[in-house]
Amino acid sequence: HRAIGTPSDRRLDLEKLCKPEATEDLIRGSLIVYRVVKEEDGRLRAANIAYPHSKTASGKPKGNRRILGSIFTISFCIFVVVATFFGRLPVQLLAIYAIACILTFIVYAMDKAAAKNDKWRTKESTLHLLGLIGGWPGAFYAQNKLRHKSKKNEFQSVFWITVVLNVGAFVYLFTDGGSKYITVISNFW
C-alpha cells in the first residue's frame, strides 16, 4: 500500500500498524492516508486512517454502485406508491412494504450498535430474510446511512439476490397468474 508522506522505497505493513478490521477491506495498491503514532510501549501504529480514493477491485469507484442502487431503490418505491394511488395495487401491499422497510432499518441499526459494543449480533440470514419479504429498500438505506454491511462483498451479493427475488415476485403480481394474489393481499386486512 502506498502512503502519503512515506518514502516510496519503504513499504509499510499495515497489518502491523492497524487493527485487523481496519485493513480487511483494503485492496492491494489502494491509496491510504494516515498518521503514524507511537504507543506507550514504543510500538508504532496508524491513526486517522482515510481512504481518499476508495475503489473496488475492478477499479471503479464504489460510489457508482451506491448511486445506481439509490436510483433503482427510489424508482421502485415511487412505482409502488404510484401503482397504489392508481388502484393497481392494494393499500395493504404498500403497508407491508412500508412496515418491512422500517422494521428492517431498525434491525440493521440494532445490529450496527451491537457490532460497536461487542454484543449479540443479528444473523445475516435474518437480515436477508427481512430484505426478501420486502424490507430491502430499508436495508439499502440502512447500509448506506449507517455504513453497515455495505462493504462485505459476500453479504452484498446475497443481498442483491434477495432484491431480485423480491422485485421478481412483485412484477409477477402484474401478470395474469399473479393477479389472483393481489386479491388475496386485498382481503388480508
Side-chain angles (χ1 to χ4, degrees):
H1 301 282
R2 300 182 314 267
I4 293 178
T6 302
S8 60
D9 60 336
R10 189 172 142 218
R11 296 249 176 211
L12 296 176
D13 186 354
L14 290 178
E15 283 76 15
K16 290 180 182 175
L17 293 174
C18 305
K19 295 179 181 176
E21 61 271 14
T23 62
E24 66 185 21
D25 292 325
L26 287 179
I27 298 166
R28 183 162 305 285
S30 58
L31 177 67
I32 63 167
V33 180
Y34 62 92
R35 188 170 56 89
V36 177
V37 295
K38 190 179 272 191
E39 294 287 331
E40 291 177 12
D41 62 2
R43 294 186 339 189
L44 299 176
R45 76 169 180 84
N48 303 332
I49 300 169
Y51 313 98
H53 302 289
S54 179
K55 293 183 180 241
T56 62
S58 66
K60 296 180 182 174
K62 289 184 178 182
N64 288 348
R65 264 192 288 172
R66 188 174 299 138
I67 290 168
L68 289 174
S70 296
I71 290 169
F72 179 75
T73 303
I74 292 167
S75 299
F76 178 82
C77 292
I78 289 171
F79 181 80
V80 172
V81 170
V82 169
T84 303
F85 180 77
F86 285 108
R88 294 282 295 146
L89 293 173
V91 174
Q92 292 89 335
L93 188 61
L94 177 63
I96 290 169
Y97 268 103
I99 291 167
C101 287
I102 292 167
L103 176 65
T104 303
F105 183 88
I106 290 168
V107 172
Y108 268 78
M110 289 171 39
D111 189 50
K112 174 73 173 191
K116 283 184 174 181
N117 297 315
D118 263 348
K119 301 285 184 186
W120 189 262
R121 302 285 306 277
T122 304
K123 290 181 180 179
E124 287 187 353
S125 60
T126 302
L127 297 175
H128 290 311
L129 179 63
L130 288 168
L132 182 64
I133 63 171
W136 67 266
F140 181 79
Y141 182 68
Q143 289 170 13
N144 290 290
K145 182 72 173 174
L146 305 174
R147 300 268 192 235
H148 189 54
K149 301 286 188 185
S150 60
K151 292 184 179 179
K152 291 181 71 176
N153 289 331
E154 183 179 336
F155 183 89
Q156 285 296 303
S157 296
V158 176
F159 168 73
W160 284 106
I161 289 170
T162 65
V163 171
V164 168
L165 291 173
N166 179 269
V167 171
F170 178 80
V171 168
Y172 179 71
L173 294 175
F174 290 94
T175 67
D176 291 336
S179 62
K180 61 185 173 193
Y181 294 106
I182 290 183
T183 305
V184 172
I185 293 168
S186 297
N187 294 331
F188 183 67
W189 284 328

